Amino acid sequence: MLTVTLEENIEVMPKSFKAEFELMDELYHSLKKNQLTEILCITTFPPRECGIATYSQDLVKALNSKFNNSFTLKICPIESHSKNHYYTDEITHTLNTDIPSSYINLAEEINTNDSIGMVLIQHEFGLFAEKEKDFEALLFAIEKPVIIVFHTVLPNPSVALKNQVQQIVGLVTSVIVMTHSSLITLQNDYDIDATKIHVIAHGTHLVQHLSKKVLKKKYHLTGRTILSTFGLLSSGKSIETTLNALPLAIEKNPNILFLIIGKTHPSVVSQEGEAYREMLEDIVEKLHLKHHVTFINYFLPLDTLLEYLQLTDVYLFTSKNPNQAVSGTFSYAVSCGCPIISTPNPQTKEVLKNDAGIIFDIDNSKQLSNAIIKLLGSDALRKKISSNGLHRMASTAWENAAIAHALLFKQNALGSIALNYTIPDINLHHIKKMTTDFGMIQFSKINHPDIESGYTLDDNARAMVAMCQHYKLTKDESDLKYIDIYLNFIKYCLQPNGYFLNYVDEQKNYTEQNNTTNLEDSNGRAIWALGYLISLNSLLPNEFHKEAKSLIKNAVKSITAIHSTRAMAFIIKGLYYANSNITSKQDIELIKEFADRLVQMYYHEQDEEWPWFESYLTYANSIVPEAMLCAWLATGKTAYKEIAKKTFDFLLSKTFNNSRIKVISNKTWLHKAATFVELEDGGEQPIDVAYTIMALSKFYNVFKEPTYLDKMEYSFNWFLGNNHLHQIIYNPCTGGCYDGLEENYVNLNQGAESTVSYLMARLTIQENNQSKSSNKQLHSEHQY
């Protein structure tokens, strides 16, 4: 046979064919270069029913949802002769643990597949029982980076177990455990290098924290005090401990109903049938608990399960295993706000410390009875434990687990992984939930509006801007109701002297805080909101336009008395928008007056190292250069544009580090004398990130510098987890935004300021993307 190399073929081709071939070859290598890195996940997976299968399904779903066009996840199910399943998803690899050759065959498939850049293995000792050497052979044979997740880490190991774990760890690139206790155990009991270990907590689902009363009615449980536990049943869960504790607890709380949620574990059924469940049913009969115990013998859909947890008054975790490293059932219960009573293990002791739950001794029904009675006897204690637990588990949301895994993929995988955060759909649920017929409520406890906090002009002005943005993009008629509410609130706050008050209580009375707080910024925000509404006069109902024009006309009567830097900036923005269609000479003169004041401030403070308007950077800094840019757009005065550009670029140099934003902390601010001091972590507010995004959009529209677009993306990713904690600030489940990013935690309250700020940022991104798409379409049509 004659063999001709590819190079020889090219040389004998006609020139035209050769050119085409080289073009196709270039295209092929370009596509190959841009091909997404594949992560192969070796794990049990649904329809197999076990904790690791559920865990892996949730993790894969979170990764695919959180990151767009970043990497590809493929599943390699762990099977055996006795456990074979039909998989609906495309499966290209399988590991049958009962066939020794399956391990080496899988390794060869991985090594010869150029698309696979890394392997992720979910490990539980029972999955590879009596197959340990085959499993080690698999790890030894794989020539790609391997990350292994230990679902069990046993303390005080035997020599054989210690050697086995050391052998496994020595053959992988990185190790994931789910608690700090497991990290310490691996380090101290197994002599594993801590730098190889990463703690990523078991993920939990975000929920809307629905009303217990509503949910109990839905499931026909009205009037009952609900205790619950869930999971695939086995004797290790020690449900009998709770059954034996119930009689004493029922004496004090006769409305108790204990829900035992979950079918028997398939492995248990295969070995002993339903003997354990039948034993529990016998105890119920013996103790006369039929009216107080319900078995829900199903593998419930996730949404239903989470609702049962949300209606639970007290959750009971009674595992017999003191060494259980992690429990998904426990994690889910805490994240649903359940007050928890639990037996001790490394995870429960770590999570429930400092008043986040009650721990009792294994098999001790008397202690459990007393704990149930104690919790049911105090609403305040249950609320305290629930709140502490929620804050303790906030970082474990599946979205955060996905971020942590993705960062590890990026660090370990062969090839390059660029993490592209998926932009969430626009969700107005929490905005509307925070709004009454009178206005937007100021604060929220988690995601429940706190009506006692009253209302502010600040929040309602920003909310009107956001809803006007939304209406401009979507023409959604339901937005008009909310724009009307916020406009009327602004009108309510306007005083006869043309000055706005800011604080209004639940009874619609102005509060004393109006007399003790400088309200200039609030007045500026109101004018900004009114001006923005006026700029949309061709889209909005005429009565809105007339009302806003009337209000702004009254407000500008004494406006020149305002000297606050940011208030003047808001006023410039408002008047710029108000004059975007029909120009008023009076308004243009006011813009010049305020802009000239800012120019004077700039020349008074600026020097080569500090081109800024003040001797410090505080809050809402980007508003000021953006206002100067608006002043230039309104007046054409070049000095405004030059100062806007110079000050904005200076601000960006202080708040961006490579591909991440870190806005000025409200803990210390940044002073001129400390120009070279690194910004502290924490004290970052969503409103500052939102204002930065809005300003970046404006500057890009004028200067067309790609760096502004890049920084818009980096800034928005701050909400999605690209921050120093690598945690979400926006909650895609509720549509709310957390109130702040602190040094070591995220403030879970989802108040008006943060939620509206996120929405303004999200809508600015949407508007910018639509504008880019429109420009591309026009360009294509022009070429055609």
Side-chain angles (χ1 to χ4, degrees):
M1 176 181 285
L2 177 65
T3 302
V4 182
T5 65
L6 183 62
E7 289 77 10
E8 290 170 338
N9 266 320
I10 292 175
E11 291 305 317
V12 299
M13 285 179 181
K15 284 188 176 181
S16 59
F17 286 176
K18 182 179 177 181
E20 283 188 37
F21 185 89
E22 288 176 343
L23 182 62
M24 291 174 64
D25 188 56
E26 184 181 341
L27 178 61
Y28 166 77
H29 284 95
S30 175
L31 290 171
K32 188 173 181 181
K33 182 179 178 181
N34 293 325
Q35 185 179 22
L36 296 180
T37 298
E38 185 176 304
I39 313 294
L40 184 66
C41 305
I42 302 176
T43 178
T44 58
F45 205 76
R48 183 167 177 174
E49 293 176 342
C50 72
I52 291 179
T54 302
Y55 169 91
S56 293
Q57 182 183 48
D58 288 338
L59 175 61
V60 168
K61 182 179 179 182
L63 282 163
N64 284 331
S65 173
K66 190 70 188 169
F67 295 98
N68 173 46
N69 202 33
S70 301
F71 43 76
T72 300
L73 298 170
K74 293 293 180 68
I75 304 300
C76 171
I78 297 176
E79 294 282 78
S80 65
H81 287 329
S82 61
K83 295 181 175 65
N84 276 295
H85 303 86
Y86 173 75
Y87 296 91
T88 54
D89 293 335
E90 181 185 350
I91 298 297
T92 54
H93 308 279
T94 304
L95 175 62
N96 188 319
T97 57
D98 289 333
I99 303 175
S101 61
S102 180
Y103 295 86
I104 298 303
N105 291 340
L106 176 59
E108 290 177 355
E109 291 171 11
I110 292 169
N111 294 338
T112 56
N113 187 336
D114 290 342
S115 297
I116 297 176
M118 203 197 75
V119 178
L120 177 69
I121 302 176
Q122 304 297 332
H123 179 274
E124 177 62 67
F125 291 103
L127 293 174
F128 304 101
E130 301 180 6
K131 310 290 189 305
E132 292 87 356
K133 292 303 178 183
D134 292 329
F135 179 65
E136 289 175 16
L138 168 68
L139 296 179
F140 184 81
I142 294 175
E143 298 171 357
K144 307 285 179 74
V146 176
I147 296 175
I148 194 163
V149 183
F150 282 136
H151 286 257
T152 295
V153 179
L154 297 172
N156 307 312
S158 65
V159 173
L161 178 59
K162 181 175 179 178
N163 289 338
Q164 181 188 347
V165 170
Q166 287 180 335
Q167 183 76 5
I168 291 172
V169 173
L171 293 170
V172 302
T173 312
S174 295
V175 175
I176 293 174
V177 294
M178 300 185 193
T179 65
H180 290 281
S181 299
S182 294
L183 183 152
I184 292 169
T185 299
L186 282 179
Q187 188 177 3
N188 294 342
D189 293 7
Y190 293 83
D191 299 326
I192 304 299
D193 182 0
T195 60
K196 202 169 188 176
I197 308 168
H198 304 266
V199 178
I200 303 178
H202 191 298
T204 56
H205 295 281
L206 297 171
V207 298
Q208 292 191 21
H209 300 290
L210 302 170
S211 161
K212 289 185 188 298
K213 184 177 180 181
V214 171
L215 288 175
K216 285 182 180 182
K217 183 177 180 180
K218 175 179 178 178
Y219 290 99
H220 309 291
L221 297 171
T222 299
R224 303 306 297 267
T225 300
I226 302 300
L227 311 179
S228 76
T229 193
F230 88 92
L232 295 170
L233 281 191
S234 68
S235 59
K237 293 191 178 293
S238 194
I239 305 298
E240 62 273 18
T241 300
T242 300
L243 296 180
N244 291 322
L246 284 180
L248 184 59
I250 289 168
E251 286 183 18
K252 300 286 186 180
N253 302 275
N255 292 323
I256 280 178
L257 178 63
F258 177 41
L259 303 179
I260 303 171
I261 305 170
K263 62 192 291 186
T264 304
H265 198 293
S267 296
V268 174
V269 173
S270 67
Q271 294 172 14
E272 60 186 58
E274 292 286 357
Y276 182 64
R277 183 181 296 274
E278 290 165 0
M279 184 269 285
L280 296 176
E281 290 171 345
D282 288 343
I283 295 175
V284 170
E285 183 75 28
K286 179 182 175 182
L287 297 178
H288 309 291
L289 295 173
K290 278 190 173 182
H291 181 63
H292 299 283
V293 177
T294 295
F295 289 88
I296 302 176
N297 187 15
Y298 301 103
F299 195 87
L300 293 179
L302 179 63
D303 290 347
T304 303
L305 172 62
L306 295 177
E307 288 190 342
Y308 268 113
L309 291 176
Q310 289 173 80
L311 64 79
T312 293
D313 294 292
V314 176
Y315 185 84
L316 306 175
F317 183 77
T318 54
S319 170
K320 284 185 175 182
N321 184 359
N323 298 320
Q324 184 173 357
V326 68
S327 165
T329 63
F330 170 84
S331 300
Y332 286 9
V334 179
S335 68
C336 285
C338 298
I340 292 194
I341 303 172
S342 173
T343 50
N345 67 37
Q347 181 189 26
T348 62
K349 287 189 288 186
E350 199 170 288
V351 172
L352 299 184
K353 63 185 179 183
N354 300 329
D355 298 323
I358 296 176
I359 291 179
F360 74 102
D361 294 336
I362 291 172
D363 291 334
N364 195 321
S365 296
K366 179 68 185 306
Q367 284 185 10
L368 179 55
S369 292
N370 291 335
I372 292 170
I373 292 168
K374 179 180 180 180
L375 268 186
L376 294 182
S378 173
D379 290 345
L381 180 59
R382 290 200 307 280
K383 287 180 180 178
K384 179 181 180 181
I385 287 176
S386 173
S387 177
N388 289 344
L390 282 173
H391 283 85
R392 192 74 47 79
M393 295 295 282
S395 63
T396 69
W398 275 117
E399 287 77 3
N400 293 333
I403 294 168
H405 278 82
L407 290 170
L408 206 53
F409 296 167
K410 181 179 174 68
Q411 178 183 329
N412 287 276
L414 295 178
S416 176
I417 292 180
L419 297 182
N420 302 305
Y421 290 81
T422 303
I423 298 177
D425 292 337
I426 296 169
N427 182 352
L428 300 182
H429 177 77
H430 193 56
I431 293 278
K432 293 180 177 181
K433 184 178 179 180
M434 291 286 289
T435 302
T436 68
D437 290 339
F438 180 60
M440 174 166 278
I441 297 168
Q442 182 177 192
F443 295 140
S444 177
K445 294 178 179 178
I446 307 297
N447 67 318
H448 294 291
D450 180 12
I451 187 62
E452 292 182 3
S453 67
Y455 308 83
T456 69
L457 173 65
D458 290 334
D459 293 327
N460 283 270
R462 284 186 290 257
M464 191 170 80
V465 171
M467 292 307 287
C468 284
Q469 282 181 284
H470 190 261
Y471 185 76
K472 178 183 177 183
L473 287 168
T474 67
K475 310 301 186 295
D476 185 343
E477 293 293 318
S478 66
D479 292 346
L480 299 178
K481 168 188 172 183
Y482 294 91
I483 295 172
D484 189 39
I485 289 172
Y486 306 138
L487 180 59
N488 284 327
F489 186 89
I490 294 172
K491 180 180 180 180
Y492 186 86
C493 291
L494 183 63
Q495 304 304 295
N497 63 359
Y499 202 66
F500 291 94
L501 297 182
N502 188 41
Y503 301 100
V504 183
D505 66 20
E506 180 183 358
Q507 286 74 39
K508 305 180 183 179
N509 299 313
Y510 300 118
T511 72
E512 180 59 28
Q513 198 171 354
N514 289 299
N515 299 320
T516 58
T517 306
N518 188 321
L519 302 182
E520 289 192 353
D521 285 6
S522 302
N523 277 258
R525 290 186 190 96
I527 291 170
W528 166 43
L530 292 168
Y532 188 72
L533 185 150
I534 292 167
S535 73
L536 304 180
N537 67 312
S538 62
L539 298 175
L540 292 170
N542 188 51
E543 57 266 29
F544 287 4
H545 178 253
K546 288 174 62 178
E547 186 71 81
K549 288 282 284 185
S550 173
L551 292 173
I552 209 168
K553 182 179 179 181
N554 289 327
V556 299
K557 290 177 181 176
S558 54
I559 205 173
T560 54
I562 289 176
H563 286 83
S564 159
T565 306
R566 282 146 193 81
M568 292 191 293
F570 280 121
I571 291 169
I572 290 171
K573 282 186 64 176
L575 295 177
Y576 158 73
Y577 281 116
N579 287 270
S580 57
N581 295 316
I582 302 175
T583 303
S584 158
K585 185 177 179 181
Q586 178 188 4
D587 289 349
I588 298 301
E589 290 304 313
L590 283 171
I591 290 174
K592 287 180 180 178
E593 180 173 347
F594 286 115
D596 286 342
R597 290 185 193 175
L598 293 176
V599 169
Q600 188 176 4
M601 292 174 64
Y602 170 76
Y603 282 118
H604 182 266
E605 289 296 341
Q606 71 89 29
D607 59 34
E608 188 175 343
E609 300 292 339
W610 189 266
W612 191 247
F613 305 90
E614 301 161 308
S615 61
Y616 43 76
L617 292 168
T618 57
Y619 64 95
N621 297 296
S622 57
I623 288 292
V624 190
E626 184 191 3
M628 293 303 295
L629 195 60
C630 289
W632 169 74
L633 290 168
T635 67
K637 194 170 179 179
T638 305
Y640 299 159
K641 180 183 181 182
E642 292 172 349
I643 291 173
K645 181 79 166 65
K646 191 167 187 177
T647 54
F648 190 53
D649 288 347
F650 165 73
L651 175 63
L652 297 180
S653 74
K654 298 300 179 185
T655 53
F656 281 87
N657 180 14
N658 296 323
S659 60
R660 184 184 299 170
I661 187 174
K662 182 191 285 188
V663 293
I664 307 300
S665 170
N666 65 7
K667 293 159 60 175
T668 58
W669 306 132
L670 181 64
H671 293 268
K672 186 175 182 178
T675 305
F676 300 105
V677 175
E678 187 173 345
L679 296 178
E680 287 190 33
D681 287 334
E684 295 180 63
Q685 304 298 307
I687 192 167
D688 282 305
V689 180
Y691 283 155
T692 301
I693 290 171
M694 297 172 85
L696 283 164
S697 178
K698 184 76 71 181
F699 274 80
Y700 175 74
N701 289 338
V702 170
F703 294 99
K704 302 300 180 187
E705 293 184 10
T707 184
Y708 292 139
L709 280 184
D710 293 339
K711 286 180 167 58
M712 280 183 70
E713 180 181 347
Y714 304 152
S715 300
F716 192 74
N717 287 346
W718 180 90
F719 290 103
L720 307 182
N722 188 22
N723 49 61
H724 76 269
L725 289 183
H726 304 298
Q727 292 183 30
I728 56 170
I729 309 299
Y730 169 69
N731 184 321
C733 175
T734 65
C737 181
Y738 298 137
D739 277 352
L741 176 68
E742 302 303 334
E743 182 178 1
N744 299 309
Y745 68 94
V746 173
N747 183 337
L748 296 187
N749 295 326
Q750 297 158 51
E753 177 183 295
S754 55
T755 297
V756 171
S757 294
Y758 168 81
L759 182 60
M760 289 192 297
R762 175 66 183 85
L763 294 169
T764 301
I765 294 291
Q766 184 82 1
E767 186 172 10
N768 187 71
N769 288 343
Q770 286 188 7
S771 176
K772 284 195 294 183
S773 297
S774 177
N775 288 338
K776 284 181 180 178
Q777 185 176 354
L778 286 172
H779 182 66
S780 298
E781 290 172 355
H782 177 70
Q783 286 184 319
Y784 180 76

